[in-house]
Amino acid sequence: MVDVGREMKFDQCLFGYEDGHRLLASSLPLGSETSLLTELSDLAPGAVFRQSEGYWTGLPAPALGRYVLMRTWPAPEMSRPGCVWTHALLIELKFLESLDDLSVLQSIPVRPTPILNRNYYREPLSVDLHLNAPRIRELDEAMVKRLLASLYADGDKEIEVSSPGDLDDALFAVWSQQWPRLRRNMRFQTAASSTPRSSRATRFDITTILASKTMDASKGDVIDMEWLTDAALDIQSGISGTLRQFLLTYGRDVRKQRGSFRPLVEIHAISNRERAQAGQNVIELVSSAFPSADDAKTLKQDLVNGALVASAQPEILHFVISSNEPALFPAPDAHGITRLPKLWPKKKNELLRLAEITASDPTDLSKSIFEVITNCVPRAQFWEATCSYPHIRKNMLALRPDLFVAEEAIALDDATVASVLALIPEETLGMPEFISQLLSRDNDRLAKVAFERFPSITAAQVLSTANTMGNVIAPPWWRELKRKPKLFIQNKTLSKISRASLLYEVANSIGWITPEVIRQGPGPWLLALKRASFDLWEDKADTFNCFILALALKSQNDDAREAIEKTFDSVHGKILKSKLYWRGEELLLPLLPDLGWMSNWNVGLRLRTAVATAYIDSEWPTSSFALLTPNKKVRLMLAETAADLPGGYSYSQAAKY
């Protein structure tokens, strides 16, 4: 409310009898409002005072820009029967709106006395609100409910009272609960009449009538509705009540004033209580009570933003996005959308339904909502939660690929895993470990998709898993790997192998000496051998050594010399003893030089010639050539072979000594 400080100034006027009922004094010219206010300040038709000191009349005076609050007392001291005094406060609207409790006004009007002359009423009245504290009173709950029903539920405008003045405290309490626009348009008169009033020019929202034995006993009964109870409890709480602050916040921009009171109270109740159908109830209330886009804009904005009835936000946003009708709610702002994660997991299903419809909606709003919900779904719950939401799965995986490698994803069927693999970026953390868990699945499509989408990772995991004896790798994975020999012979792939026997299987599966293997050279294999245990024996050891040696002779790159140094002596020794396994010899012979039909039978000579030629052509160090074998006889053979080749003299001399 408006802050106007501790002191208020009121214009005022006094009405009474002087050759007729008239205006006697005023601090403000009343102008065109004089006639009406004079009429209303006179004794109300049928009014009964009894022990009451007087009654109240309140109404707006638009021509003055003020709200008029009148206190009327009987004036038995006057010579004419039925005379009254009326002191009227002409309250500025900002003052009326600023007061938390309007009952403070009840202590301000002053009845004229012989010692209080009329000049008192010709000057503005200064009131210190600290000296005029609100009245502390116990309110009649039934009376409060009847007032609320009369104002907001088409109840009887005549409130039945037992005695004059019974309505006053309840009326000021109900009036205090209203938001500013309602306050300044409130029209009431608490004069207790013994008979129903005849119609008059001024139509009051609230009047009173004295109860009588002949009246219908049920006239004052109020149906016990939840919203009435809530509003009445708030009134009993006084200025500490939460409903009145709610009404002050959300009543300021509603189009219908009294017609908005009940739905606002009902929405307040939903916001304070856990209700299963909160979202649907709020949507129905707003649709019915505030159907136009410019009605209750503050309320609607806070609803879509989750600042009010937070639990209903997913359903309201679902309505906003899916509705084809003219916009009932505004779009949420960026801060409002960020409130959605607070609802997980309590509103998990509602959030997922919202995410499902936003997943296929290209608007910026839907994209923002979807991303926020994506980020609030715990990784461990993703697959179970989204089993009925295919659009969520597809789009969420694009945003959060880490969900795919969650432990729970292993339980997915092969078809689902294969279809999702294509959506996951290669750099996703945990992907190698996840793929390693798929290798026992005998599914051709799954293996094919994995190799197509993550070739290096999948190849590395197949080989790494195969390192451990007892691990089962289904045939489709080996078949796919054999179709991609390039993947085998990359350093980062072969380096995963820790057993020479597995290197043998890899070389065998890709066909040993192939163009791709030659292009890579012996380097990847040598690197793998340095890290692997050599568990090959006899025939397989011969074959693998011949493979490395043949590859070195064919490629003659920087790694070839090391490969020859590592394998020559073993292979050459087996040849001299005629014990070289036939398969290894088959790999080696095509790469040995043709020495003519007279010498080609001598495989050892052909090998020595090939090795010496490689050293001479590549200009490798002579010291390396001399250390190819510790056997002196073989070194002499190498020296003789090198001596017969152009440029081989230095190598021949190095081998001799």
Side-chain angles (χ1 to χ4, degrees):
M1 292 191 175
V2 181
D3 183 7
V4 295
R6 61 177 287 173
E7 186 174 85
M8 289 187 179
K9 284 191 175 183
F10 299 96
D11 281 299
Q12 58 179 332
C13 54
L14 177 67
F15 297 88
Y17 184 79
E18 186 177 82
D19 194 20
H21 187 78
R22 65 180 67 240
L23 175 65
L24 302 178
S26 180
S27 67
L28 180 73
L30 301 185
S32 61
E33 299 284 10
T34 303
S35 177
L36 175 62
L37 297 182
T38 300
E39 177 188 354
L40 293 177
S41 67
D42 201 357
L43 182 64
V48 176
F49 288 103
R50 294 183 182 171
Q51 288 77 31
S52 163
E53 294 183 356
Y55 59 83
W56 296 94
T57 304
L59 75 162
L64 297 175
R66 306 294 175 94
Y67 188 90
V68 181
L69 179 64
M70 301 179 180
R71 179 64 167 169
T72 300
W73 300 271
E77 68 272 22
M78 304 301 289
S79 58
R80 179 181 173 184
C83 288
V84 294
W85 298 109
T86 295
H87 183 192
L89 301 177
L90 309 176
I91 307 171
E92 290 186 53
L93 298 183
K94 67 177 181 180
F95 291 152
L96 185 72
E97 296 169 5
S98 70
L99 295 172
D100 292 323
D101 190 339
L102 294 175
S103 68
V104 69
L105 300 175
Q106 290 178 267
S107 61
I108 298 176
V110 180
R111 185 185 190 282
T113 63
I115 62 173
L116 189 65
N117 62 44
R118 297 179 186 181
N119 288 332
Y120 173 83
Y121 301 96
R122 293 192 174 101
E123 299 295 330
L125 179 61
S126 293
V127 178
D128 189 332
L129 297 180
H130 287 253
L131 300 178
N132 291 76
R135 295 178 59 182
I136 299 175
R137 70 280 192 200
E138 184 176 347
L139 300 175
D140 183 333
E141 182 181 353
M143 185 70 73
V144 169
K145 286 187 175 182
R146 284 200 291 273
L147 274 167
L148 291 169
S150 293
L151 288 170
Y152 312 123
D154 297 326
D156 197 328
K157 302 305 177 186
E158 282 191 325
I159 304 298
E160 182 181 320
V161 294
S162 299
S163 300
D166 285 355
L167 185 66
D168 295 358
D169 288 343
L171 176 65
F172 275 84
V174 169
W175 192 22
S176 298
Q177 189 186 51
Q178 295 179 335
W179 57 85
R181 191 173 167 190
L182 269 181
R183 280 189 178 185
R184 63 177 181 257
N185 286 292
M186 179 78 159
R187 297 169 178 266
F188 61 86
Q189 191 172 72
T190 65
S193 175
S194 57
T195 59
R197 299 191 183 195
S198 58
S199 61
R200 56 188 303 171
T202 301
R203 299 185 63 180
F204 291 108
D205 303 317
I206 296 294
T207 58
T208 59
I209 187 170
L210 286 171
S212 67
K213 295 181 180 179
T214 60
M215 295 179 67
D216 185 352
S218 65
K219 182 176 181 179
D221 292 345
V222 175
I223 298 174
D224 192 14
M225 293 180 284
E226 185 179 49
W227 72 270
L228 271 179
T229 300
D230 289 343
L233 286 173
D234 179 80
I235 287 171
Q236 297 285 5
S237 300
I239 62 174
S240 63
T242 60
L243 174 60
R244 67 186 58 214
Q245 185 58 48
F246 181 92
L247 295 173
L248 177 63
T249 300
Y250 298 112
R252 60 189 176 191
D253 59 2
V254 295
R255 296 182 65 180
K256 296 178 182 177
Q257 291 299 295
R258 283 196 213 134
S260 299
F261 183 88
R262 175 174 177 175
L264 287 178
V265 174
E266 291 176 336
I267 291 173
H268 176 264
I270 294 173
S271 71
N272 289 331
R273 297 171 187 154
E274 290 293 330
R275 297 190 177 181
Q277 301 296 323
Q280 188 59 39
N281 290 342
V282 167
I283 292 170
E284 290 174 357
L285 279 169
V286 172
S287 299
S288 174
F290 314 112
S292 63
D294 61 347
D295 193 3
K297 293 174 69 174
T298 304
L299 174 78
K300 293 175 181 177
Q301 190 67 63
D302 280 358
L303 285 170
V304 297
N305 282 342
L308 178 64
V309 196
S311 63
Q313 188 186 17
E315 291 174 88
I316 293 173
L317 289 177
H318 192 291
F319 176 84
V320 169
I321 292 170
S322 61
S323 178
N324 295 322
E325 300 176 4
L328 176 65
F329 290 93
D333 58 32
H335 180 66
I337 294 174
T338 61
R339 288 190 173 97
L340 286 169
K342 297 177 182 178
L343 300 175
W344 187 279
K346 195 171 185 179
K347 289 291 180 177
K348 177 178 70 174
N349 293 330
E350 289 82 353
L351 287 171
L352 291 172
R353 282 196 292 270
L354 176 59
E356 183 71 2
I357 67 164
T358 57
S360 54
D361 186 351
T363 64
D364 290 341
L365 172 60
S366 289
K367 289 179 181 178
S368 298
I369 292 173
F370 186 87
E371 184 175 357
V372 166
I373 296 177
T374 296
N375 291 330
C376 82
V377 178
R379 174 173 165 170
Q381 300 176 24
F382 171 73
W383 293 103
E384 178 185 1
T386 61
C387 61
S388 301
Y389 304 101
H391 294 100
I392 293 180
R393 279 191 173 178
K394 179 179 178 181
N395 288 28
M396 286 181 76
L397 287 170
L399 291 170
R400 280 188 60 190
D402 61 293
L403 294 169
F404 182 69
V405 295
E407 181 179 349
E408 291 73 16
I410 294 300
L412 298 173
D413 61 90
D414 293 344
T416 300
V417 174
S419 64
V420 172
L421 272 175
L423 305 173
I424 309 302
E426 187 173 359
E427 62 274 12
T428 301
L429 294 176
M431 185 57 68
E433 294 78 7
F434 183 80
I435 287 180
S436 71
Q437 297 181 74
L438 303 177
L439 300 181
S440 61
R441 300 193 183 195
D442 192 358
N443 186 284
D444 290 292
R445 181 170 178 267
L446 181 57
K448 183 177 180 180
V449 172
F451 270 100
E452 288 177 350
R453 188 70 188 86
F454 307 96
S456 298
I457 291 176
T458 305
Q461 289 307 306
V462 169
L463 297 178
S464 178
T465 303
N467 274 324
T468 304
M469 301 299 293
N471 282 349
V472 177
I473 300 177
W477 300 90
W478 285 115
R479 287 196 294 269
E480 286 299 321
L481 188 56
K482 290 176 183 179
R483 295 190 182 104
K484 299 172 175 58
K486 185 176 181 179
L487 295 176
F488 274 109
I489 49 182
Q490 296 171 349
N491 285 343
K492 62 182 180 181
T493 302
L494 286 181
S495 64
K496 301 289 184 181
I497 297 176
S498 61
R499 293 182 291 111
S501 56
L502 185 54
L503 287 171
Y504 177 93
E505 294 299 330
V506 169
N508 182 53
S509 67
I510 60 177
W512 300 101
I513 307 296
T514 66
E516 185 60 41
V517 172
I518 294 170
R519 193 160 34 248
Q520 296 292 329
W525 303 92
L526 291 175
L527 181 62
L529 281 171
K530 290 177 181 178
R531 300 174 180 176
S533 61
F534 199 85
D535 57 347
L536 294 173
W537 304 99
E538 299 298 336
D539 297 347
K540 287 188 176 181
D542 285 354
T543 303
F544 192 73
N545 285 332
C546 286
F547 162 67
I548 297 296
L549 183 55
L551 184 56
L553 294 173
K554 183 66 176 178
S555 60
Q556 292 189 20
N557 61 14
D558 293 340
D559 300 312
R561 180 175 59 84
E562 183 182 351
I564 293 173
E565 290 176 349
K566 187 175 183 66
T567 58
F568 170 78
D569 190 52
S570 174
V571 172
H572 185 266
K574 288 291 185 79
I575 291 174
L576 292 182
K577 295 177 183 179
S578 299
K579 291 184 177 181
L580 185 65
Y581 186 57
W582 65 267
R583 193 169 188 182
E585 187 172 313
E586 279 188 344
L587 293 175
L588 188 60
L589 285 177
L591 299 176
L592 300 181
D594 184 357
L595 301 181
W597 68 273
M598 291 288 292
S599 300
N600 274 348
W601 62 271
N602 191 342
V603 178
L605 175 60
R606 292 174 67 188
L607 176 59
R608 293 192 298 273
T609 302
V611 169
T613 300
Y615 268 83
I616 295 168
D617 291 346
S618 300
E619 299 181 352
W620 289 333
T622 56
S623 59
S624 170
F625 187 74
L627 295 175
L628 286 177
T629 175
N631 189 305
K632 185 175 181 180
K633 181 179 179 181
V634 176
R635 287 203 307 272
L636 290 174
M637 290 179 179
L638 283 170
E640 291 175 358
T641 303
D644 293 336
L645 297 173
Y649 177 77
S650 61
Y651 291 97
S652 175
Q653 293 301 307
K656 287 180 181 180
Y657 306 102

